């Protein structure tokens, strides 16, 4: 793949280079969202199998819809748009995480108890 003749991408690369430290400071927060997304997936799996049903239907529905939104390549900002394509996905997941935070904490406590009892799972 060749470099575009007008140097548009060079400006983007320069901007990233100039703001590298700022980006690095945000990475732990992004990692936390990614880890919580894995917990959301695990909760949906356990709900689907019937292993975990101690969650209101609105909460499991919100989690499912947020994850389906991430899966949809033709969302508000299509994922193929370099640099911003995943921003709307991250925003939807972050909003959902805030909405169901208490339920996720309860699920993680349940999951830890299952692991301690010898019933090891995904998370």
């Amino acid at each position: 793949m060749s470099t575009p003749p007008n140097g548009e991408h060079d400006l983007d690369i320069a901007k990233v280079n100039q703001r590298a430290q700022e980006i690095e400071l945000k990475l732990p927060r992004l990692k936390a969202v990614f880890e919580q997304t894995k917990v959301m997936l695990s909760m949906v799996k356990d709900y689907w199998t019937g292993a975990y049903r101690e969650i209101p239907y609105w909460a499991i529905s919100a989690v499912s819809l947020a994850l389906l939104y991430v899966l949809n390549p033709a969302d508000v900002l299509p994922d193929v748009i370099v640099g911003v394509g995943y921003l709307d996905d991250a925003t939807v997941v972050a909003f959902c995480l805030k909405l169901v935070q208490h339920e996720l904490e309860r699920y993680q406590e349940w999951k830890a108890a299952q692991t301690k009892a010898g019933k090891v799972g995904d998370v």
Side-chain angles (χ1 to χ4, degrees):
M1 182 176 224
S2 65
T3 305
N6 59 10
E8 287 177 16
H9 294 296
D10 289 344
L11 293 175
D12 292 338
I13 294 167
K15 189 181 294 185
V16 168
N17 185 49
Q18 290 169 354
R19 300 181 73 184
Q21 187 175 11
E22 184 181 339
I23 293 167
E24 286 178 12
L25 292 173
K26 290 185 178 189
L27 290 178
R29 284 187 275 165
L30 293 174
K31 183 179 180 188
V33 169
F34 176 71
E35 292 300 319
Q36 287 297 94
T37 303
K38 290 185 349 185
V39 173
M40 291 167 64
L41 281 167
S42 179
M43 185 169 63
V44 168
K45 288 178 187 176
D46 284 337
Y47 183 87
W48 183 252
T49 64
Y52 183 75
R53 292 294 178 122
E54 301 302 315
I55 182 171
Y57 191 73
W58 69 264
I60 197 68
S61 296
V63 168
S64 297
L65 289 173
L67 294 173
L68 284 172
Y69 185 86
V70 169
L71 188 61
N72 183 1
D75 45 26
V76 173
L77 294 173
D79 296 344
V80 296
I81 299 175
V82 178
V84 296
Y86 294 108
L87 286 178
D88 60 326
D89 296 342
T91 301
V92 168
V93 169
F95 177 77
C96 184
L97 286 171
K98 286 196 180 286
L99 184 67
V100 299
Q101 183 175 1
H102 177 71
E103 296 302 329
L104 282 176
E105 290 168 1
R106 288 183 54 213
Y107 171 73
Q108 287 176 297
E109 290 169 4
W110 173 83
K111 194 71 166 179
Q114 296 299 305
T115 302
K116 197 173 196 178
K119 300 176 184 176
V120 180
D122 297 330
V123 176

